[in-house]
Amino acid sequence: MKDLFKDVSVFVSSLFFPNRCIFCDGLIAPFDDYCECCAEQIPFIKGEICNHCGSAMEDCQCDKKKSVNYSAVAAPLYYEGDVKSCIQRFKFKDDRNISKPLARLMFDALKENFADISFDYVTYVPMYRKRERERGFNQSRLLAREISELCGITFADKMLVKLYDTDNQHECSGLERTGNLIGVFDVDGKTDITDKTVLLIDDVKTSGATLNECGKMLYLNGAKSVICLTAAVRNSKI
């Protein structure tokens, strides 16, 4: 009955606020997330993936000798073209409705790549509190809450904290991105993560520096395994 009521509500809402493709913004059916054209053109990550960078194995050109502070990373999409535009609208133009469709895609990637893993907690990459107040929300937190509801993993809010502000990662070069984040994150200590498997959520993985630093702090505080899940990753062959 609950699902039926939800479906009727979505349909009625679509009569007044037409549903639009999260990628191209074109009109679509009430219960769709994206149009048929985008379904064919959007760079979905398909097949076996590289756990080190998240790219499909056929695309992977990452440096596997470079150590990372997580066990694996996955995403449903490559961060390019209309996917990049979609996530930027989500983050910088307050289009929070995008969080649910992106989370559903991420959930599909989670089931496909980590179905055999039992997670204890799902948490997210934090923002510095002043930045979060200015934006009005943390996009990674929204995604983590949706993922928690979809898969039933306990949502660990504020497990990670960002201690001070930093330059935007997209404005830094590769080495600068790593140096920009050293010592920035910490674990709040309210949740015991000793020997726990943590699902760490972020919107995008580009260099991987942010996930790496957050993962490091989780491991230093006793986590058994850290698995990362993002909406998109940079294709390592580009």
Side-chain angles (χ1 to χ4, degrees):
M1 181 63 71
K2 182 178 179 181
D3 289 339
L4 177 61
F5 179 76
K6 181 178 179 181
D7 290 347
V8 171
S9 298
V10 170
F11 179 76
V12 173
S13 176
S14 70
L15 297 177
F16 299 96
F17 305 99
N19 195 26
R20 293 185 175 275
C21 173
I22 62 171
F23 300 118
C24 71
D25 204 37
L27 292 173
I28 54 176
F31 299 100
D32 291 344
D33 291 330
Y34 46 88
C35 65
E36 293 182 3
C37 182
C38 286
E40 296 177 358
Q41 297 181 0
I42 288 298
F44 288 93
I45 299 173
K46 300 176 181 178
E48 185 181 0
I49 65 166
C50 169
N51 286 334
H52 194 276
C53 71
S55 294
M57 287 302 295
E58 63 182 12
D59 297 324
C60 177
Q61 294 183 19
C62 72
D63 181 6
K64 293 181 176 60
K65 293 181 180 180
K66 183 180 178 181
S67 62
V68 292
N69 292 307
Y70 50 80
S71 298
V73 59
L77 304 159
Y78 282 127
Y79 189 56
E80 56 192 61
D82 285 339
V83 173
K84 189 173 183 178
S85 299
C86 167
I87 293 175
Q88 288 180 342
R89 289 200 317 275
F90 175 33
K91 293 172 64 171
F92 303 121
K93 295 189 177 180
D94 201 9
D95 195 347
R96 303 184 205 189
N97 290 331
I98 290 176
S99 64
K100 290 182 181 293
L102 283 182
R104 285 191 283 268
L105 289 172
M106 293 167 69
F107 180 51
D108 289 341
L110 180 69
K111 291 187 295 183
E112 182 175 352
N113 296 287
F114 307 129
D116 59 338
I117 296 177
S118 178
F119 294 97
D120 297 292
Y121 298 108
V122 56
T123 193
Y124 55 91
V125 171
M127 293 176 66
Y128 185 62
R129 56 186 178 275
K130 181 180 178 181
R131 293 264 184 153
E132 187 170 350
R133 285 197 302 268
E134 290 173 350
R135 183 174 295 177
F137 67 101
N138 177 348
Q139 70 281 352
S140 298
R141 182 177 184 273
L142 292 183
L143 292 171
R145 283 184 65 90
E146 295 292 339
I147 293 293
S148 174
E149 291 184 8
L150 287 168
C151 60
I153 303 171
T154 301
F155 177 58
D157 199 9
K158 300 179 181 179
M159 175 183 284
L160 286 159
V161 293
K162 193 170 185 180
L163 300 175
Y164 55 88
D165 203 6
T166 57
D167 294 332
N168 288 325
Q169 284 295 91
H170 67 271
E171 296 175 354
C172 301
S173 65
L175 289 176
E176 288 175 336
R177 290 186 180 198
T178 300
N180 190 40
L181 295 172
I182 293 176
V184 168
F185 300 105
D186 200 0
V187 174
D188 72 351
K190 295 178 182 178
T191 304
D192 183 10
I193 59 172
T194 304
D195 293 327
K196 304 299 185 183
T197 298
V198 179
L199 179 62
L200 177 62
I201 304 295
D202 203 3
D203 56 338
V204 176
K205 173 190 170 291
T206 51
S207 70
T210 301
L211 295 175
N212 210 38
E213 283 299 310
C214 287
K216 178 173 72 176
M217 297 313 301
L218 292 170
Y219 279 123
L220 286 174
N221 282 270
K224 178 175 68 175
S225 180
V226 177
I227 305 293
C228 301
L229 181 68
T230 66
V233 298
R234 185 180 63 189
N235 192 333
S236 66
K237 76 175 182 180
I238 296 177

